[in-house]
Amino acid sequence: MEGTGERRAPVPETGDKGLKKGAIGFMDALIIGVASTAPAYSLAAVIGLIVVTVGVQSPAVLFASFIPMFFIATAFYYMNRADQDCGTTFSWVTRAMGPWAGWMGGWAISVTGILVIGSLADVAARYTYLLLTLEGLAASKPAITLLAVVYMVLMTAVCVYGIELSARVQNFLIVAQVATLLLFAVVALFLVFSGSSETSLSPSLSWFNPLAIDDPSALIGGLLIGVFIYWGWESSVNLTEETEDSASAPGLAAVFSTVILLATYLSVAVAVVAFAGIGTVTEFADDDAILSTVATDVLGSPWYLLVVLSVLTSALASTQTTILPASRTTLSMARAGAFPRAMGSVHPRFLTPHVSTIVIGILAIVWYVPVNLISENFLFDTLSALSLMVAFYYALTGFACAIYYRRELFKSVKNLLFIGVAPVLGASLLAYLFFVSIVDLSDPGASYTGSSIFGLGLPLVIGLGFLFIGVIFMVVWRLTGHDDFFGRTPEIVPPEVARGEVKVSETAGAPAESGVAARPGSEDR
């Protein structure tokens, strides 16, 4: 009351979608981008498989996989500079290529989150038991499933409570994760060069040369794995509307995330292959215990538990950060009229998309529990299917960048290289990998379960099946109206937006603000 001396807390500033502006800074966005890829878990999950595929050229595959990721990251940077929308690919592809392509891009992001969240929580649960030396529970599927569901509920609650809490949680988890990985790599390489390991190999520059891989199919197979291991860095851009300096900081965080991941992946891969040797590593082609096993010899007991903790925090961190882009994308789609209106609700106190976040968490649990109880290998096949959808929406974003900026490409060499050539090259390679993986995954023998549906491998059925379900939902949504969204036409970036002087109008169709370039044709709607 007036005159009582009481002070009310300042009302936080919000954007047009109701999200809290300036809630996190550049470092928070960078950490979330790195954490979303779950570097420790990703390495544990695939390093053995990569070594089986290409041998000592594993670092070369990781480097080659980085190139299209870096190129697509530049597309994210320039598209975010023009349009700071938490829907990222959905909003950008809608602007550049029209509502149908944009809808499918948004659907792919949402589905990948739903499919993978349970797998990450599953790993976090198992490694929790291993960290506590509860080997019996670590081998019990019911115990793992129960704890995984608990983790999923907790991480969903953290995401609902507020982006600041999410960022603080990630700041702790990423330090524990990356610091431990680098410590492991340094000690392992020291032991290699000091001759303390009998099975060690001497690293050479040829390990980093993709051209040294004689079998092109092996290189393609390695690149397909690389799509999975780098996937997730763009989560920082999904938080653009909640980040300080939203026009540049989230995009820069995405670019820097890929570079940090490259350094981490190369150092650990070289250390593992050099210390353990090819024979030992290939024994873990489908076993994510490789890091903890090698760490036992490298760090000894009980220090090897630091690596176990690293994988645990990696999977747990990514469980949370994978919820963020899926929930923000569905929020953006709902506000644009592409999804049910309820998914666009923002909590009045926490200023987070609580409805979409809770829905994503529930759907992830609904997918994970029965699939995991049926077969753990079925869960692995789900992860294999992710490469299809990830390559799909990354490629869409790369092409959309060049299309949206097409009148700006020849105004400077920088524009041509970083807005045109790089995104198109990255998108073309990912599109090629998309179709190659369709051929590869069509073989039931390429799946973990060996199962087939209509003569096709289970991962392919899961991947293309969910994309096909998306097409059905999109058509049904169109047939039930929603002309405001489906009536949109492709746009070209206004020159003043390309120069960074103003921003484009919101995808949701909000009226243009002061200093905001109206969407072409919006005045007729």
Side-chain angles (χ1 to χ4, degrees), residues 184 187 191 292-306:
F184 164 75
V187 175
L191 294 175
S292 59
T293 301
V294 177
T296 303
D297 296 327
V298 172
L299 301 177
S301 180
W303 301 109
Y304 78 93
L305 291 175
L306 288 174

Side-chain angles (χ1 to χ4, degrees), residues 122-133:
D122 185 273
V123 172
R126 182 152 57 88
Y127 270 78
T128 298
Y129 293 133
L130 290 175
L131 181 66
L132 299 175
T133 65

Side-chain angles (χ1 to χ4, degrees), residues 30 39 56 138 172 224 248 253 336 390 401 403 409 445 470 497 508 516:
L30 176 63
V56 295
F172 167 75
L224 287 172
S248 61
V390 173
C401 180
I403 293 172
L409 296 182
V497 171
V516 175

